Amino acid sequence: MAFNFESLRIWHDVMDLNDKILKVTKNYFPKDEMFILTSQIKKAADSIVLNIAEGCTGQTNPVFKNFLSYSLRSGIEVISFILLTRRRDYITAKIFRELYDDIEMLSKKITALRKTL
């Protein structure tokens, strides 16, 4: 692996979350949300993984901690988006719970990594 972030398990886990969110937006979101909610939730999910990668590569620990904080905030955005989509009945309770649990677990892992720096 050429880049430091590729060796982080959390980075791979967040990439998996992004795959799930992409599938959910393609299969469950209405077309009229394509440039609104769909775009925003995908950007927020992308931001989680991108901030981990950027913070890990050639940064000091305090800087990396800041980028991990940005990742956590983006995770909160994703949670808010899936709450909206559930409320609007775009996704089932089962899909909601799966995404919610994934993001909760990832947030705990990001927080744990942050504490080690």
Side-chain angles (χ1 to χ4, degrees), residues 2 9 12 21-22 24 29 31 42 51 62 64 69 84-85 94 102 104:
R9 181 73 227 154
H12 291 277
I21 287 180
L22 181 63
V24 167
F29 284 28
K31 297 293 181 218
K42 287 171 25 181
N51 277 302
F64 189 20
S69 293
L84 280 172
T85 60
K94 181 181 177 190
D102 286 349
E104 182 180 27

Side-chain angles (χ1 to χ4, degrees), residues 15 23 30 83 112:
M15 290 291 282
K23 287 177 187 172
L83 286 164

Side-chain angles (χ1 to χ4, degrees), residues 36-102:
I36 307 163
L37 191 59
T38 301
S39 174
Q40 289 178 314
I41 192 171
K42 287 171 25 181
K43 286 179 184 177
D46 288 347
S47 180
I48 301 170
V49 75
L50 295 172
N51 277 302
I52 292 169
E54 186 175 354
C56 178
T57 305
Q59 305 294 337
T60 63
N61 283 349
V63 171
F64 189 20
K65 284 175 88 168
N66 282 337
F67 278 96
L68 292 173
S69 293
Y70 303 147
S71 289
L72 287 170
R73 290 181 195 132
S74 295
I76 297 303
E77 280 187 85
V78 174
I79 288 288
S80 296
F81 287 131
I82 66 165
L83 286 164
L84 280 172
T85 60
R86 181 65 193 129
R87 186 177 184 126
R88 294 177 185 174
D89 210 25
Y90 296 161
I91 58 174
T92 65
K94 181 181 177 190
I95 293 169
F96 168 81
R97 179 51 48 197
E98 183 179 322
L99 290 172
Y100 190 95
D101 290 348
D102 286 349

Side-chain angles (χ1 to χ4, degrees), residues 6 9 16 19 27 32 42 44 48 67 76 87 107 112 114:
E6 292 177 291
R9 181 73 227 154
D16 292 342
D19 292 343
N27 295 322
D32 63 338
K42 287 171 25 181
I48 301 170
F67 278 96
I76 297 303
R87 186 177 184 126
S107 294
R114 202 173 170 279

